Amino acid sequence: MTEHHTPEARTAVVLGGSHTGMLAARALAEFVDRVVVVERDALPEGAAPRKGLPQARHAHMLWSGGAQAVAELLPGITEALHDAGAHRLPVTTDIVALSAWGWFRRWPESHHVILAGRDLLDATIRAQVLADERIELVERAEAFGLVGMDAGMDTRTDASTSASASARTSARTSATRTSAARTSAARTSAAVTGVRIRTHDGAERTLEADLVVDATGRGSGAPRWLTALGLPAPERREVDSGLVYASRLYLAPEPARDGFPVINVQPDPRDGGPGRAGFLLPIEDGRWIATLCGTRGGEPSADADDFVRFAREELRHPLIGELLDNAEPLSDVSVTRSTVNRRYFYERMPAWPENFVVLGDALAAFNPVYGHGLAVAAQSALILRDVIRRQGWAAPGVARAVQRAVARPVGAAWDMAIGQDVFYPGATEHGPTLKERLVAAYVGRLMYTATGNGRIARRVTDVTSLERGAEVLLAPSVLLAALAGPLKPALSGPPLTAEEMKAAGLR
């Protein structure tokens, strides 16, 4: 069955109803009569878990660069999140962090983070997006292929076509001869005109669309869908540190349920062993979410009895374990191994179809330890809106312009993620490149300087918050400061105040 739309009506289809998909739907709503969001799960009414988002059990933060993008797409969302219980914490004022080069000082506010459980964050954004009558939700349905025009031919890129591997092998010579012609035609005439979906009862239908956005996450089928349209396989890179995450919810001690800082114990990749890290984030309802992680050979376990021990004995400082000793566990330990950094370089492809955009984890998935996925998705959705505003809805090449533009925030987060992960054993086939070693050496010097220089700490946070690009770290004043090193002596311990220590039961 094909679901047609009238010629004068504009329709966009967004695949995936999570954080990226909802923000993309909001970004498109101003240009179309109808946005259809296709979601594999049945989404809950409020802030509740769902099957397709297991990562919600782990720590999340929305850096200010992403929070600003969300607020521009959804005016009033900051207040709505606050009313729902989310926290806005000033950075670095309310961050107690041990870096590889020592404890950071708590400088006056320069940036901020939004902290909440992922279920609450998604539910609050989802409620505002779906309040728009132009946006409709198709639940318990999954896309399995694009419908496109390639050199004048109607082409369905059904995923089921990939099942005939043996038949394709026998026809390989013929396919090779036609591939070049299809790719050449795709440069100028390939266009997506809809998407094939399968509902929970097995029924299949086609949704016609003027634009399709793939926000389906790490399991995206875009690479094979594009090759079925006659395009070459996209360039892809993976950096896998072997990181394992283990998280658990706690009820904070009553005096520490409001105004407590983020606690972060970072690994030191220079020591040559497994990287172990921990986070303690204050979220809604007086709770802490604690996330522990370790690379190959240093992984945390799912054993609840071992959780606090790992935090106290395996991290570079026992602070998180000491804090958890005085908190009440509220959940079992959740573990995930889906942490590989994976990026598709769609912006480098020699051709790109009209009317198709890939965003979020479907484009680039980052090691969650750096907390950039939510912010990059929000900035990408805002770029989607702004490029269409600038070039026009039906302008030729607008989809490709979006794909190239979103490479900027994606690339910034990617460089930060792999800049550390590439040094762990087995992360890549050949280890870090010379360029990566030189960049890491300079960044390391900056981080060391930031432990005792508030101006450099602000410049570094400009980049980690995704508010500014890495070029600010190459300004002459920053280079000179890095050469000089920190202006203040190293701290001997975590910079918690006496009141915070007492509230957490440490005194």
Side-chain angles (χ1 to χ4, degrees):
M1 181 178 73
T2 299
E3 185 176 309
H4 299 281
H5 63 275
T6 57
E8 65 276 7
R10 291 176 175 175
T11 299
V13 173
V14 176
L15 307 177
S18 193
H19 177 77
T20 306
M22 287 295 166
L23 292 177
R26 173 59 183 166
L28 293 171
E30 77 172 68
F31 308 106
V32 299
D33 303 285
R34 179 183 179 223
V35 181
V36 181
V37 179
V38 178
E39 168 54 43
R40 182 175 56 186
D41 286 345
L43 296 178
E45 288 296 324
R50 64 185 180 91
K51 180 181 177 182
L53 197 67
Q55 64 268 36
R57 308 282 68 78
H58 303 283
H60 285 78
M61 64 171 60
L62 180 60
W63 280 99
S64 48
Q68 292 163 4
V70 175
E72 186 165 342
L73 290 166
L74 292 169
I77 191 63
T78 304
E79 294 75 16
L81 285 167
H82 178 269
D83 292 345
H87 298 294
R88 180 196 183 280
L89 265 67
V91 177
T92 57
T93 317
D94 278 356
I95 305 287
V96 174
L98 176 62
S99 75
W101 297 269
W103 291 99
F104 287 115
R105 281 176 165 77
R106 297 168 68 175
W107 307 102
E109 177 176 354
S110 58
H111 306 79
H112 68 275
V113 292
I114 303 296
L115 300 178
R118 178 64 185 271
D119 294 330
L120 183 144
L121 179 67
D122 279 8
T124 307
I125 290 175
R126 183 169 64 242
Q128 292 220 359
V129 170
L130 295 181
D132 189 326
E133 62 183 12
R134 295 168 295 186
I135 301 173
E136 63 184 77
L137 180 63
V138 177
E139 298 176 276
R140 301 174 68 191
E142 190 169 6
F144 64 91
L146 300 174
V147 177
M149 299 297 295
D150 180 2
M153 294 191 303
D154 194 15
T155 306
R156 289 185 178 180
T157 69
D158 295 3
S160 59
T161 60
S162 64
S164 306
S166 60
R168 286 202 308 273
T169 300
S170 65
R172 186 171 296 156
T173 302
S174 175
T176 301
R177 280 196 293 264
T178 60
S179 177
R182 285 170 58 85
T183 301
S184 177
R187 282 193 182 90
T188 57
S189 59
V192 171
T193 59
V195 62
R196 294 280 289 163
I197 67 170
R198 183 181 295 112
T199 56
H200 67 281
D201 58 2
E204 298 179 2
R205 74 179 197 263
T206 297
L207 298 178
E208 291 188 344
D210 300 291
L211 180 69
V212 175
V213 174
D214 179 4
T216 55
R218 287 178 178 261
S220 166
R224 66 177 183 272
W225 297 344
L226 291 169
T227 56
L229 277 177
L231 292 158
E235 178 186 347
R236 183 181 79 172
R237 188 183 181 194
E238 292 188 355
V239 176
D240 184 5
S241 65
L243 191 79
V244 174
Y245 256 62
S247 296
R248 198 176 193 189
L249 275 174
Y250 287 82
L251 183 65
E254 188 171 355
R257 292 176 190 172
D258 185 44
F260 202 76
V262 169
I263 310 296
N264 175 211
V265 177
Q266 301 172 13
D268 185 350
R270 301 170 300 176
D271 65 14
R276 298 180 181 92
F279 301 84
L280 187 150
L281 273 57
I283 60 172
E284 67 273 11
D285 301 328
R287 296 178 298 166
W288 289 341
I289 184 166
T291 291
L292 309 176
C293 51
T295 60
R296 293 179 184 89
E299 304 94 331
S301 75
D303 183 357
D305 293 334
D306 192 54
F307 193 82
V308 173
R309 185 209 64 80
F310 187 99
R312 189 171 48 241
E313 299 179 12
E314 302 294 341
L315 303 186
R316 294 175 51 236
H317 192 280
L319 177 60
I320 293 176
E322 293 169 352
L323 290 167
L324 296 182
D325 270 333
N326 298 315
E328 177 188 347
L330 298 176
S331 72
D332 294 330
V333 177
S334 298
V335 174
T336 185
R337 298 174 182 273
S338 299
T339 61
V340 60
N341 298 284
R342 179 186 298 117
R343 180 180 179 187
Y344 290 96
F345 293 87
Y346 291 127
E347 71 278 8
R348 298 179 183 176
M349 290 182 65
W352 188 257
E354 300 286 357
N355 314 327
F356 184 59
V357 170
V358 184
L359 300 178
D361 283 4
L363 173 59
F366 312 105
N367 179 342
V369 73
Y370 306 107
H372 287 136
L374 296 176
V376 170
Q379 291 183 335
S380 297
L382 185 62
I383 287 171
L384 172 68
R385 187 201 69 178
D386 290 348
V387 171
I388 295 174
R389 275 184 178 178
R390 186 167 59 249
Q391 296 196 12
W393 172 257
V398 68
R400 183 164 199 170
V402 171
Q403 209 63 63
R404 286 174 167 169
V406 298
R408 291 194 296 273
V410 166
W414 176 260
D415 289 343
M416 283 186 274
I418 70 167
Q420 178 165 314
D421 283 8
V422 74
F423 285 90
Y424 290 115
T428 61
E429 184 178 357
H430 302 293
T433 64
L434 176 60
K435 177 184 176 182
E436 288 165 341
R437 291 182 184 277
L438 291 173
V439 170
Y442 178 60
V443 170
R445 182 68 185 183
L446 281 175
M447 299 297 281
Y448 169 62
T449 303
T451 63
N453 184 320
R455 182 173 62 86
I456 298 306
R458 182 179 184 125
R459 292 288 80 81
V460 169
T461 313
D462 280 340
V463 179
T464 57
S465 67
L466 297 179
E467 288 195 28
R468 300 178 70 181
E471 64 275 5
V472 301
L473 302 180
L474 298 177
S477 61
V478 176
L479 292 166
L480 288 173
L483 183 63
L487 302 178
K488 294 179 178 291
L491 295 175
S492 59
L496 286 166
T497 66
E499 293 78 9
E500 290 165 345
M501 296 278 282
K502 182 178 179 180
L506 298 185
R507 283 187 178 176

PDB file of all heavy atoms in Angstrom, residues 321-333:
ATOM      1  N   GLY A 321      33.170   6.359  45.215  1.00  0.00           N
ATOM      2  CA  GLY A 321      32.834   5.242  46.089  1.00  0.00           C
ATOM      3  C   GLY A 321      32.478   5.693  47.487  1.00  0.00           C
ATOM      4  O   GLY A 321      31.539   5.171  48.115  1.00  0.00           O
ATOM      5  N   GLU A 322      33.215   6.666  48.021  1.00  0.00           N
ATOM      6  CA  GLU A 322      32.926   7.188  49.357  1.00  0.00           C
ATOM      7  C   GLU A 322      31.560   7.856  49.406  1.00  0.00           C
ATOM      8  O   GLU A 322      30.824   7.720  50.396  1.00  0.00           O
ATOM      9  CB  GLU A 322      34.020   8.168  49.764  1.00  0.00           C
ATOM     10  CG  GLU A 322      35.387   7.499  49.961  1.00  0.00           C
ATOM     11  CD  GLU A 322      36.518   8.504  50.107  1.00  0.00           C
ATOM     12  OE1 GLU A 322      36.276   9.720  49.915  1.00  0.00           O
ATOM     13  OE2 GLU A 322      37.649   8.070  50.415  1.00  0.00           O
ATOM     14  N   LEU A 323      31.190   8.570  48.357  1.00  0.00           N
ATOM     15  CA  LEU A 323      29.871   9.201  48.304  1.00  0.00           C
ATOM     16  C   LEU A 323      28.759   8.152  48.226  1.00  0.00           C
ATOM     17  O   LEU A 323      27.723   8.274  48.879  1.00  0.00           O
ATOM     18  CB  LEU A 323      29.796  10.144  47.102  1.00  0.00           C
ATOM     19  CG  LEU A 323      30.646  11.419  47.197  1.00  0.00           C
ATOM     20  CD1 LEU A 323      30.730  12.100  45.837  1.00  0.00           C
ATOM     21  CD2 LEU A 323      30.069  12.374  48.244  1.00  0.00           C
ATOM     22  N   LEU A 324      28.965   7.113  47.435  1.00  0.00           N
ATOM     23  CA  LEU A 324      27.935   6.084  47.277  1.00  0.00           C
ATOM     24  C   LEU A 324      27.756   5.263  48.545  1.00  0.00           C
ATOM     25  O   LEU A 324      26.670   4.709  48.774  1.00  0.00           O
ATOM     26  CB  LEU A 324      28.287   5.174  46.099  1.00  0.00           C
ATOM     27  CG  LEU A 324      28.314   5.843  44.720  1.00  0.00           C
ATOM     28  CD1 LEU A 324      28.627   4.815  43.635  1.00  0.00           C
ATOM     29  CD2 LEU A 324      26.996   6.563  44.419  1.00  0.00           C
ATOM     30  N   ASP A 325      28.772   5.185  49.376  1.00  0.00           N
ATOM     31  CA  ASP A 325      28.655   4.475  50.655  1.00  0.00           C
ATOM     32  C   ASP A 325      27.533   5.053  51.512  1.00  0.00           C
ATOM     33  O   ASP A 325      26.931   4.344  52.328  1.00  0.00           O
ATOM     34  CB  ASP A 325      29.975   4.546  51.425  1.00  0.00           C
ATOM     35  CG  ASP A 325      30.901   3.382  51.095  1.00  0.00           C
ATOM     36  OD1 ASP A 325      30.391   2.307  50.711  1.00  0.00           O
ATOM     37  OD2 ASP A 325      32.128   3.548  51.207  1.00  0.00           O
ATOM     38  N   ASN A 326      27.262   6.352  51.339  1.00  0.00           N
ATOM     39  CA  ASN A 326      26.261   7.042  52.156  1.00  0.00           C
ATOM     40  C   ASN A 326      24.955   7.284  51.422  1.00  0.00           C
ATOM     41  O   ASN A 326      24.100   8.024  51.904  1.00  0.00           O
ATOM     42  CB  ASN A 326      26.828   8.371  52.651  1.00  0.00           C
ATOM     43  CG  ASN A 326      28.049   8.187  53.529  1.00  0.00           C
ATOM     44  OD1 ASN A 326      28.058   7.333  54.412  1.00  0.00           O
ATOM     45  ND2 ASN A 326      29.093   8.971  53.275  1.00  0.00           N
ATOM     46  N   ALA A 327      24.798   6.677  50.242  1.00  0.00           N
ATOM     47  CA  ALA A 327      23.579   6.832  49.450  1.00  0.00           C
ATOM     48  C   ALA A 327      22.829   5.501  49.395  1.00  0.00           C
ATOM     49  O   ALA A 327      23.402   4.436  49.631  1.00  0.00           O
ATOM     50  CB  ALA A 327      23.918   7.314  48.045  1.00  0.00           C
ATOM     51  N   GLU A 328      21.552   5.579  49.049  1.00  0.00           N
ATOM     52  CA  GLU A 328      20.694   4.387  49.016  1.00  0.00           C
ATOM     53  C   GLU A 328      20.494   3.911  47.574  1.00  0.00           C
ATOM     54  O   GLU A 328      19.967   4.658  46.747  1.00  0.00           O
ATOM     55  CB  GLU A 328      19.335   4.712  49.628  1.00  0.00           C
ATOM     56  CG  GLU A 328      18.330   3.575  49.577  1.00  0.00           C
ATOM     57  CD  GLU A 328      16.947   3.989  50.025  1.00  0.00           C
ATOM     58  OE1 GLU A 328      16.801   5.090  50.613  1.00  0.00           O
ATOM     59  OE2 GLU A 328      15.987   3.224  49.772  1.00  0.00           O
ATOM     60  N   PRO A 329      20.914   2.699  47.254  1.00  0.00           N
ATOM     61  CA  PRO A 329      20.699   2.218  45.877  1.00  0.00           C
ATOM     62  C   PRO A 329      19.220   2.050  45.568  1.00  0.00           C
ATOM     63  O   PRO A 329      18.454   1.556  46.395  1.00  0.00           O
ATOM     64  CB  PRO A 329      21.443   0.878  45.855  1.00  0.00           C
ATOM     65  CG  PRO A 329      21.587   0.469  47.273  1.00  0.00           C
ATOM     66  CD  PRO A 329      21.627   1.717  48.093  1.00  0.00           C
ATOM     67  N   LEU A 330      18.824   2.469  44.359  1.00  0.00           N
ATOM     68  CA  LEU A 330      17.428   2.406  43.935  1.00  0.00           C
ATOM     69  C   LEU A 330      17.210   1.464  42.756  1.00  0.00           C
ATOM     70  O   LEU A 330      16.061   1.240  42.368  1.00  0.00           O
ATOM     71  CB  LEU A 330      16.939   3.805  43.545  1.00  0.00           C
ATOM     72  CG  LEU A 330      16.933   4.870  44.639  1.00  0.00           C
ATOM     73  CD1 LEU A 330      16.504   6.210  44.045  1.00  0.00           C
ATOM     74  CD2 LEU A 330      16.007   4.478  45.782  1.00  0.00           C
ATOM     75  N   SER A 331      18.275   0.938  42.183  1.00  0.00           N
ATOM     76  CA  SER A 331      18.127   0.110  40.981  1.00  0.00           C
ATOM     77  C   SER A 331      19.205  -0.952  40.956  1.00  0.00           C
ATOM     78  O   SER A 331      20.171  -0.908  41.729  1.00  0.00           O
ATOM     79  CB  SER A 331      18.224   0.973  39.719  1.00  0.00           C
ATOM     80  OG  SER A 331      19.570   1.405  39.510  1.00  0.00           O
ATOM     81  N   ASP A 332      19.034  -1.898  40.055  1.00  0.00           N
ATOM     82  CA  ASP A 332      20.108  -2.832  39.755  1.00  0.00           C
ATOM     83  C   ASP A 332      21.178  -2.116  38.936  1.00  0.00           C
ATOM     84  O   ASP A 332      21.015  -0.951  38.537  1.00  0.00           O
ATOM     85  CB  ASP A 332      19.560  -4.028  38.971  1.00  0.00           C
ATOM     86  CG  ASP A 332      18.607  -4.875  39.801  1.00  0.00           C
ATOM     87  OD1 ASP A 332      18.780  -4.917  41.036  1.00  0.00           O
ATOM     88  OD2 ASP A 332      17.688  -5.469  39.210  1.00  0.00           O
ATOM     89  N   VAL A 333      22.253  -2.809  38.645  1.00  0.00           N
ATOM     90  CA  VAL A 333      23.315  -2.262  37.807  1.00  0.00           C
ATOM     91  C   VAL A 333      22.994  -2.560  36.346  1.00  0.00           C
ATOM     92  O   VAL A 333      22.703  -3.700  35.985  1.00  0.00           O
ATOM     93  CB  VAL A 333      24.683  -2.859  38.182  1.00  0.00           C
ATOM     94  CG1 VAL A 333      25.778  -2.335  37.255  1.00  0.00           C
ATOM     95  CG2 VAL A 333      25.016  -2.541  39.641  1.00  0.00           C
TER      96      VAL A 333
END
